[in-house]
Amino acid sequence: MDPGKIAAVVDWPRPTNVTKVRSFLGMAGYYRRFVKDFSKIATPLTQLLRKNHKFNWTEECEASFQELQQTLVTAPILVIPEDNEEYMIYNDASRQGLGCVLMQNDR
């Protein structure tokens, strides 16, 4: 990841209202497909976005915020392939679609 983007995520201030929670989740949501169980981790934060729901920052919200921040700045699942290593292709297909993953060294 770009060091400038990592710094932006690490330095992101704790949200103090619904608009700031929505902004953080929007940024984090861009990477949601790379974060395992993203929706489970973000549940306490998404509950703050409900209509007619009082904004109440709890310890669960803080833990969710911290975990998302940490997950977004740690080594990514996607890596640049090495030319001198062997590749493994994992695929799955159905009548509706096809999916493939190219892996090296179980990454």
Side-chain angles (χ1 to χ4, degrees), residues 9 11 42 46 53 65 76 82 89-90 92 97:
V9 173
D11 297 336
T46 56
H53 189 269
F65 178 69
E82 297 178 23
I89 298 174
Y90 294 91
D92 188 22

Coordinates of all heavy atoms in Angstrom, one line a residue, residues 9 11 42 46 53 65 76 82 89-90 92 97:
V9 N -5.1 6.6 7.0 CA -5.9 5.7 7.7 C -5.5 5.7 9.2 O -6.4 5.7 10.1 CB -5.9 4.3 7.1 CG1 -6.6 3.3 8.0 CG2 -6.4 4.3 5.7
D11 N -4.0 7.9 10.9 CA -4.3 9.2 11.6 C -5.7 9.6 11.6 O -6.1 10.7 12.0 CB -3.4 10.3 10.9 CG -1.9 10.1 11.1 OD1 -1.5 9.4 12.0 OD2 -1.2 10.6 10.2
A42 N -17.6 -4.4 11.0 CA -18.2 -3.0 10.9 C -19.6 -2.9 11.4 O -20.1 -1.8 11.5 CB -18.2 -2.6 9.4
T46 N -22.0 0.5 11.6 CA -23.2 0.6 10.7 C -24.4 0.8 11.5 O -25.4 1.4 11.0 CB -23.3 -0.6 9.8 OG1 -23.4 -1.8 10.5 CG2 -22.1 -0.6 8.8
H53 N -31.8 6.9 15.5 CA -31.0 6.2 16.4 C -30.0 7.2 17.0 O -29.3 7.9 16.3 CB -30.2 5.1 15.7 CG -29.5 4.1 16.6 ND1 -28.2 4.4 17.0 CD2 -29.9 3.0 17.3 CE1 -27.8 3.4 17.8 NE2 -28.8 2.6 18.0
F65 N -13.8 0.2 15.1 CA -13.0 1.3 14.5 C -11.5 0.9 14.5 O -10.9 1.0 13.4 CB -13.3 2.6 15.2 CG -12.5 3.7 14.6 CD1 -12.8 4.2 13.3 CD2 -11.5 4.3 15.3 CE1 -12.1 5.3 12.8 CE2 -10.8 5.4 14.9 CZ -11.1 5.9 13.6
P76 N -1.2 -6.4 2.9 CA -2.3 -6.8 2.1 C -2.3 -8.3 1.7 O -1.2 -8.9 1.7 CB -2.3 -6.0 0.8 CG -0.8 -5.6 0.7 CD -0.3 -5.6 2.1
E82 N 6.2 -13.2 -8.0 CA 7.6 -13.3 -8.2 C 7.8 -14.2 -9.4 O 7.2 -15.3 -9.5 CB 8.3 -13.9 -7.0 CG 8.2 -13.1 -5.7 CD 8.8 -13.7 -4.5 OE1 9.7 -14.6 -4.7 OE2 8.4 -13.3 -3.4
I89 N -3.2 -22.3 -9.6 CA -4.5 -21.7 -10.0 C -5.6 -22.5 -9.3 O -5.7 -23.7 -9.5 CB -4.7 -21.7 -11.5 CG1 -3.6 -20.9 -12.2 CG2 -6.1 -21.2 -11.9 CD1 -3.6 -21.0 -13.7
Y90 N -6.4 -21.8 -8.6 CA -7.6 -22.4 -8.0 C -8.8 -21.8 -8.7 O -8.9 -20.6 -8.8 CB -7.6 -22.0 -6.5 CG -6.5 -22.7 -5.7 CD1 -5.3 -22.0 -5.5 CD2 -6.7 -23.9 -5.2 CE1 -4.3 -22.6 -4.8 CE2 -5.7 -24.5 -4.4 CZ -4.5 -23.9 -4.2 OH -3.5 -24.4 -3.5
D92 N -13.2 -22.1 -9.7 CA -14.5 -22.7 -9.4 C -15.5 -22.1 -10.5 O -15.4 -21.0 -10.9 CB -15.0 -22.2 -8.0 CG -16.3 -22.8 -7.5 OD1 -16.6 -23.9 -8.0 OD2 -16.9 -22.3 -6.7
G97 N -21.3 -18.3 -13.3 CA -20.1 -17.6 -13.3 C -18.9 -18.4 -13.1 O -18.9 -19.6 -13.0

